[in-house]
Amino acid sequence: MLLPFWSSEIHVELPSWFPWGRDYQPVSINRLYDSALNSIAESCFDMESEFFFLSSPFVGCVGSLAREKYFQTSPDKMFNLGFLMVFAYSEQMEKTLIASFAAAEVIEDLNLGIAFCSIWRDGVFEKKIKTIVIVSNEPFYDCTGYILKLPIILDGAKKFLKSSPLSYFAEKFGFNRFHVNWENMNPYQIATARILSELESGNAKNIVGGSSMINFPPFFGLSIAEAEK
């Protein structure tokens, strides 16, 4: 693991009908919104990851875990400030995104880190998953350029790594979501890292080294309620 941890976790609430256990449209569902997202979702599967969702004031909240947005007939009542993009963790995905940030091709006002994401469905806890999260510093970051170039970056990495076509089988036979909680991470090490990151003493920081966590940029959501008729 090369990336630092974000200081905050992500909470995702899924509708009761969401096919969390077995999904027959994990890739093509994104085609309803944009072909670039479909390509991103396909490449993520081939790199043993999964595109969960992105949130932006310009596109709303869309992605594999936000598919209710694709079918709604009325405007979204949630207005989010800031760009947020979440992927299931894999070593291949981590190295690819780090390389894309290092190349500085489309990276401006964006930060990259790891966060744990808790999945809830109809108020019932499902899983806690390690994810890779991209966050913007600016509340009105325009993600258009990044979304258009990310499929090219992922496709190039997929060919270089000679990844297996997992997306084809996921679409054809269905995808069983199964994530090992914490993967190979020791929760005690994570708790220790959190404590060390909160130390105020400069001398202590010199002894234990820099923090393994980074502060999560401000990310705001505004709910707009309609008056009852």
Side-chain angles (χ1 to χ4, degrees), residues 152-165:
I152 301 173
I153 295 171
L154 295 178
D155 189 60
K158 185 172 62 174
K159 292 178 180 177
F160 177 77
L161 296 169
K162 297 180 180 179
S163 302
S164 302

Side-chain angles (χ1 to χ4, degrees), residues 115-131:
F116 286 107
C117 176
S118 59
I119 305 294
W120 297 75
R121 185 169 57 168
D122 202 24
V124 178
F125 176 74
E126 292 280 353
K127 284 281 186 180
K128 180 174 283 190
I129 304 167
K130 189 165 73 171
T131 60

Side-chain angles (χ1 to χ4, degrees), residues 139-183:
F140 292 101
Y141 175 80
D142 186 357
C143 62
T144 305
Y146 185 69
I147 297 304
L148 291 176
K149 291 188 177 182
L150 184 57
I152 301 173
I153 295 171
L154 295 178
D155 189 60
K158 185 172 62 174
K159 292 178 180 177
F160 177 77
L161 296 169
K162 297 180 180 179
S163 302
S164 302
L166 300 179
S167 57
Y168 169 80
F169 296 102
E171 279 287 304
K172 188 174 181 63
F173 303 108
F175 174 58
N176 283 326
R177 286 188 175 89
F178 176 76
H179 301 274
V180 179
N181 290 341
W182 308 102
E183 295 182 347

Side-chain angles (χ1 to χ4, degrees), residues 40 44 49-53 85-90 93 97 112 115 129-134 146 150 154:
I40 290 171
C44 286
S49 177
E50 183 181 2
F51 166 56
F52 281 161
F53 68 92
M85 197 167 190
V86 182
F87 306 90
Y89 178 86
S90 77
M93 195 68 182
L97 291 177
L112 184 64
I129 304 167
K130 189 165 73 171
T131 60
I132 302 175
V133 182
I134 301 174
Y146 185 69
L150 184 57
L154 295 178

Side-chain angles (χ1 to χ4, degrees), residues 52-154:
F52 281 161
F53 68 92
L54 73 83
S55 179
S56 163
F58 300 99
V59 301
C61 184
V62 293
S64 298
L65 298 191
R67 62 186 58 186
E68 71 274 11
K69 307 295 182 180
Y70 298 119
F71 305 110
Q72 65 185 19
T73 56
S74 59
D76 199 343
K77 301 175 185 178
M78 177 67 73
F79 179 70
N80 292 322
L81 295 179
F83 170 66
L84 177 76
M85 197 167 190
V86 182
F87 306 90
Y89 178 86
S90 77
E91 290 186 6
Q92 294 182 27
M93 195 68 182
E94 179 184 28
K95 292 176 181 178
T96 298
L97 291 177
I98 289 175
S100 72
F101 269 56
E105 297 174 354
V106 292
I107 313 306
E108 209 172 313
D109 296 322
L110 291 180
N111 295 293
L112 184 64
I114 293 174
F116 286 107
C117 176
S118 59
I119 305 294
W120 297 75
R121 185 169 57 168
D122 202 24
V124 178
F125 176 74
E126 292 280 353
K127 284 281 186 180
K128 180 174 283 190
I129 304 167
K130 189 165 73 171
T131 60
I132 302 175
V133 182
I134 301 174
V135 186
S136 66
N137 291 320
E138 299 296 327
F140 292 101
Y141 175 80
D142 186 357
C143 62
T144 305
Y146 185 69
I147 297 304
L148 291 176
K149 291 188 177 182
L150 184 57
I152 301 173
I153 295 171
L154 295 178

